């Protein structure tokens, strides 16, 4: 059960590989251009200043040399933020199939990803042993690992952002400062990599760090998603802006009448604090410094309707000032969201955060596929519950949760049956018939199934159930429901007990190891440990699926995904742009790949990833078939 996938985890350990660090200099990165034109590239095979260990080549020679390195099975290529440099080479004409082959073989590594994984293993993602918050630029790693500063990054005659001026020139004609700066980046990368791999490093080397190769490959797939980007519909953006402005204007009038905003448009915080205090009966929540809190979450919970209006309008004002301009830019060029690796193994997204779209209606629907294309989307069904069931099997050999899933039971109905004290079959039939009691129980069951595995206590579960699922219960009822849930899935009691014991043994925290990828996460406390086991497993399987989907879309000419492009990755969901005429075939292949890859991580649990088609990004879209063929989902269906 849960055997470790091997194809992408072979990091050539034990082999005497030649390490070649490289770095590109390009035209400037710009919105919609994350793989700009190559000007030159530097290569380093050592730290000495001899020409044998380092070289700088202009674009034509750099491309030939890079392809020769890709073709050499004894070479491991290393870069810092290497996905960017690889994409630059591919954009310059390097054979993409060679790139994917070397990535999958573990011969393309990224010092930024290695550093992130190291910090995750040490529990340093929020701050290292000195309290200093980590950064991941090459200059930061040079300072940390080499105790040096990179030369030539700042100053009056800095070349870092000027290499486009040298395009077409032989490197022999470069100014000395431009030549030296470009050459040194590869040397610094080589030295940082060797420092990271050094087993005698002060905090332990990274040579035996698990999960490096899959994370480096996934980082490349995510960079390609970012580089392709998302487009938006001008009419939808216009409608969204009009709607937001009308709502903000109307709300501002009401808030001025309530004294919350002054006539000049400034907010009267003294008045806001007075109203918050009154709303909480004179005992309002406070900030760390003891002031009355005016945080959005506090305002949303107030009994005063004007304060709740203020909370909602603050979000809409931010949408107008930050999100609408970004969406409007997407009508002219691609929007390039950026993805990063976080502690649990999941990803985060920024600029914009496509993984957590604003709740306001009409925002998500601004995103549309390019002309002649449709969105093909697939997401895993109850992905983290499936992963949790697999984790429980890996840990204990048996699990009632796993058994229910293996028998084809709908897990929320299974839990709802326990809430109502009836058999599963009766709950299922009543739910199919539209029984309101079972429907309410199932909604509560969703809150339990998705909230309780993370180790929530009664008070926290009350808040989670209301905020996430609109279910209102008190603390006493929450405790009863948790006890019921633990009786339904008794292996979870052992799960919580074992994690609690490990936390106790470590003085409140410990180092967790993922059951399949063996990736380590240090300094986890109880709730983060409870979540990390199954969140991490889901993330590993989903990123493996994303990697294969993106690979096929670029190089596998016989795949139904070839020529399609992934545009969004949301934890357990992939959205692609596909030519409209072959979208059903692409959807079927997307679903198949996602299931196959997740089964590598959850081999004993049924995995589902249904696909659907959309002509814009809809939250509630579902598969729609006509005469057995998948067709576009439309609102109202």
């Amino acid at each position: 059960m849960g055997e470790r996938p091997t194809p992408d985890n072979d990091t050539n350990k034990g082999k005497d590989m030649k390490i070649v660090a490289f770095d590109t200099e390009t035209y400037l990165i710009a919105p919609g251009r994350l793989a700009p034109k190559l000007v030159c590239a530097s290569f380093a095979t050592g730290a000495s200043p001899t020409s044998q260990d380092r070289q700088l080549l202009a674009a034509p020679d750099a491309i030939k040399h890079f392809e020769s390195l890709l073709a050499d099975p004894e070479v491991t290529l290393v870069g810092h933020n290497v996905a960017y440099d690889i994409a630059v080479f591919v954009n310059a004409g390097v054979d993409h199939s060679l790139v994917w082959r070397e990535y999958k073989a573990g011969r393309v590594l990224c010092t930024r990803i290695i550093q992130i994984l190291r910090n995750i293993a040490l529990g340093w993602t929020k701050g290292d042993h000195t309290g200093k918050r980590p950064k991941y630029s090459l200059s930061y790693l040079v300072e940390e690992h080499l105790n040096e500063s990179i030369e030539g990054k700042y100053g009056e005659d800095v070349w870092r952002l000027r290499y486009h001026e040298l395009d077409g020139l032989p490197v022999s004609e470069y100014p000395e400062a431009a030549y030296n700066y470009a050459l040194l980046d590869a040397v610094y990368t080589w030295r940082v990599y060797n420092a990271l791999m050094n087993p005698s490093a002060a905090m332990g080397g990274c040579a035996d760090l698990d999960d490096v190769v899959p994370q480096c490959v996934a980082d490349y797939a995510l960079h390609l998603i970012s580089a392709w980007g998302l487009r938006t519909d001008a009419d939808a953006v216009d409608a969204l802006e009009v709607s937001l402005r009308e709502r903000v204007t109307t709300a501002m009038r009401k808030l001025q009448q309530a004294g919350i905003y002054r006539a000049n448009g400034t907010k009267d915080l003294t008045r806001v604090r007075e109203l918050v205090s009154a709303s909480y009966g004179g005992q309002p929540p406070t900030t760390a410094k003891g002031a009355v809190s005016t945080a959005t979450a506090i305002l949303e919970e107030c009994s005063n309707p004007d304060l709740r209006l203020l909370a909602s309008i603050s979000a809409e004002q931010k949408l107008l000032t930050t999100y609408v301009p970004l969406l409007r830019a997407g009508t002219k060029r691609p929007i390039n969201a950026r993805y990063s690796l976080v502690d649990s193994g999941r990803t985060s997204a920024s600029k914009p955060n496509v993984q957590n779209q604003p709740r306001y209606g009409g925002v998500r629907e601004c995103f549309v596929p390019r002309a002649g294309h449709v969105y093909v989307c697939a997401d895993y069904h109850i992905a983290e519950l499936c992963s949790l069931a697999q984790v429980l099997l890996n840990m204990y050999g048996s699990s009632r949760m796993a058994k229910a899933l293996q028998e084809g039971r709908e897990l929320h109905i299974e839990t709802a049956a326990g809430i109502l004290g009836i058999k599963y079959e009766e709950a299922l039939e009543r739910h199919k018939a539209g029984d309101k009691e079972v429907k309410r129980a199932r909604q509560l069951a969703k809150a339990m199934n998705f909230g309780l595995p993370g180790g929530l206590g009664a008070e926290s579960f009350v808040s989670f159930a209301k905020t996430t699922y609109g279910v209102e219960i008190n603390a006493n009822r929450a405790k009863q429901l948790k006890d019921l849930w633990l009786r339904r899935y008794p292996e979870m009691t052992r799960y919580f007990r074992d994690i609690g014991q490990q936390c106790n043994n470590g003085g409140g925290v410990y180092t967790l190891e993922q059951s399949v990828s063996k990736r380590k996460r240090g300094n986890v406390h109880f709730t983060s440990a409870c979540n990390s086991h199954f969140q991490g497993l889901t993330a590993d399987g989903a990123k493996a699926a994303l990697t294969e989907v993106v690979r096929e879309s670029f190089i596998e000419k016989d795949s139904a995904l070839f020529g399609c492009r992934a545009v969004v990755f949301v934890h357990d969901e992939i959205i692609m742009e596909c030519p409209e005429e072959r979208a059903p075939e692409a959807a079927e292949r997307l679903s198949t790949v996602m299931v196959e890859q997740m089964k590598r991580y959850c081999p004993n649990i049924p995995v589902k990833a249904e696909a659907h088609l959309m002509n814009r990004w809809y939250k509630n879209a579902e598969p729609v078939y006509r005469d057995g063929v998948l067709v576009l989902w439309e609102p109202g269906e």
Side-chain angles (χ1 to χ4, degrees), residues 41-243:
S42 56
F43 303 87
T45 56
S48 70
T50 65
S51 58
Q52 290 181 333
D53 283 343
R54 58 179 73 176
Q55 55 184 318
L56 180 67
L57 301 173
D61 291 332
I63 293 167
K64 293 177 184 177
H65 184 58
F66 188 68
E67 285 195 317
S68 72
L69 293 172
L70 287 171
D72 188 342
E74 301 302 315
V75 167
T76 293
L77 287 160
V78 177
H80 190 79
N81 195 21
V82 73
Y84 168 81
D85 298 292
I86 292 285
V88 166
F89 269 119
V90 169
N91 196 40
V94 166
D95 186 343
H96 210 171
S97 62
L98 276 179
V99 165
W100 278 104
R101 185 193 69 188
E102 296 306 287
Y103 253 120
K104 299 283 277 185
R107 293 194 288 268
V108 180
L109 301 176
C110 179
T111 49
R112 182 179 65 87
I113 293 297
I114 294 171
Q115 177 84 355
I116 293 173
L117 288 170
R118 164 191 178 261
N119 285 351
I120 290 174
L122 292 170
W124 287 359
T125 56
K126 301 296 188 294
D128 64 14
H129 60 299
T130 68
K132 184 167 60 176
R133 194 173 184 87
K135 299 177 184 177
Y136 296 104
S137 65
L138 179 60
S139 59
Y140 188 90
L141 267 65
V142 167
E143 290 179 10
E144 179 178 354
H145 296 290
L146 307 179
N147 198 29
E148 298 177 23
S149 296
I150 292 182
E151 302 172 17
K153 274 202 173 289
Y154 307 100
E156 294 181 3
D157 194 33
V158 65
W159 275 95
R160 184 168 59 95
L161 305 177
R162 296 175 53 196
Y163 279 90
H164 59 281
E165 299 174 23
L166 306 176
D167 188 20
L169 292 177
V171 296
S172 59
E173 297 182 16
Y174 283 15
E176 184 178 3
Y179 185 95
N180 289 337
Y181 176 80
L183 197 61
L184 282 173
D185 265 6
V187 176
Y188 279 127
T189 300
W190 190 92
R191 293 178 63 200
V192 165
Y193 176 78
N194 278 273
L196 284 167
M197 295 297 110
N198 184 358
S200 62
M203 291 299 164
C206 299
D208 294 323
L209 199 64
D210 288 288
D211 206 34
V212 170
V213 171
Q215 295 296 345
C216 287
V217 184
D219 187 59
Y220 181 57
L222 289 163
H223 182 75
L224 293 178
I225 292 178
S226 298
W228 184 253
L230 285 154
R231 300 307 299 266
T232 54
D233 173 38
D235 290 340
V237 176
D238 288 342
L240 175 65
E241 183 173 10
V242 168
S243 173

Side-chain angles (χ1 to χ4, degrees), residues 29 125 134 189 256 258 318 342-343 366 435 439 515 580 587 619:
I29 296 173
T125 56
T189 300
Q256 284 177 349
K318 186 175 181 180
V342 298
D343 300 51
C366 289
D435 186 293
K439 184 178 180 180
S515 62
E580 188 171 4
K619 178 178 176 59

Side-chain angles (χ1 to χ4, degrees), residues 31 71 106 117 184 274 303 332 421 438 448 498 510 520 613 627:
L117 288 170
L184 282 173
E274 289 174 353
S303 59
K332 299 178 177 64
V438 175
M448 295 163 67
D498 287 350
Y510 74 104
K520 293 177 177 61
L613 308 180
D627 300 323

Side-chain angles (χ1 to χ4, degrees), residues 288-546:
K289 294 184 178 180
V292 174
S293 175
T294 60
T296 299
I298 301 301
L299 299 180
E300 287 174 341
E301 294 295 320
C302 283
S303 59
N304 188 313
D306 292 328
L307 293 177
R308 294 200 301 273
L309 178 61
L310 175 62
S312 66
I313 214 65
S314 295
E316 287 157 10
Q317 286 172 318
K318 186 175 181 180
L319 281 177
L320 271 174
T321 57
T322 61
Y323 223 87
V324 167
L326 187 147
L327 291 172
R328 192 164 299 288
T331 66
K332 299 178 177 64
R333 48 86 178 163
I335 296 171
N336 310 113
R338 307 296 184 92
Y339 295 87
S340 301
L341 172 63
V342 298
D343 300 51
S344 65
R346 301 174 91 191
T347 56
S348 64
S350 61
K351 300 179 182 180
N353 184 356
V354 291
Q355 296 179 334
N356 187 19
Q357 291 285 349
R359 297 178 184 178
Y360 191 89
V363 175
R364 193 186 305 259
E365 291 81 2
C366 289
F367 293 102
V368 292
R370 290 161 172 83
H373 292 68
V374 298
Y375 282 152
V376 174
C377 174
D379 61 334
Y380 291 107
H381 176 63
I382 56 170
E384 291 190 347
L385 287 174
C386 290
S387 294
L388 175 60
Q390 184 66 57
V391 166
L392 294 168
L393 284 179
N394 293 346
M395 285 183 168
Y396 308 124
S398 65
S399 159
R400 285 193 190 175
M401 185 179 293
K403 188 172 185 293
L405 291 169
Q406 290 167 342
E407 292 176 351
R409 294 177 177 237
E410 207 267 40
L411 207 60
H412 301 321
I413 296 292
E414 174 82 7
T415 303
I419 295 171
L420 297 174
I422 60 178
K423 291 185 176 181
Y424 171 82
E425 292 75 15
E426 180 185 345
L428 182 63
E429 287 301 316
R430 287 172 58 182
H431 184 261
K432 289 179 179 178
D435 186 293
K436 292 183 179 179
E437 184 183 28
V438 175
K439 184 178 180 180
R440 287 193 298 270
R442 185 179 182 276
Q443 186 71 358
L444 180 55
K446 288 176 69 175
M448 295 163 67
N449 287 338
F450 289 130
L452 295 177
L456 293 178
E459 293 290 345
S460 298
F461 180 61
V462 168
S463 177
F464 175 83
K466 181 179 179 181
T467 302
T468 311
Y469 292 97
V471 176
E472 294 199 27
I473 53 175
N474 58 35
N476 186 54
R477 177 60 173 156
K479 185 178 184 307
Q480 293 173 352
L481 290 170
K482 184 171 183 178
D483 290 344
L484 181 151
W485 188 78
L486 290 174
R487 289 195 299 272
R488 196 79 176 181
Y489 309 110
E491 64 274 18
M492 289 302 301
T493 298
R494 185 176 177 186
Y495 180 74
F496 293 143
R497 184 181 65 240
D498 287 350
I499 290 174
Q501 185 62 52
Q502 291 183 79
C503 287
N504 290 337
N505 291 342
V509 296
Y510 74 104
T511 297
L512 176 149
E513 182 178 275
Q514 284 293 324
S515 62
V516 179
S517 68
K518 305 304 178 186
R519 181 179 59 257
K520 293 177 177 61
R521 179 180 179 185
N523 281 332
V524 292
H525 54 74
F526 180 74
T527 54
S528 60
C530 291
N531 281 297
S532 285
H533 278 294
F534 57 87
Q535 282 186 352
L537 190 62
T538 299
D540 293 342
K543 280 195 281 190
L546 177 76

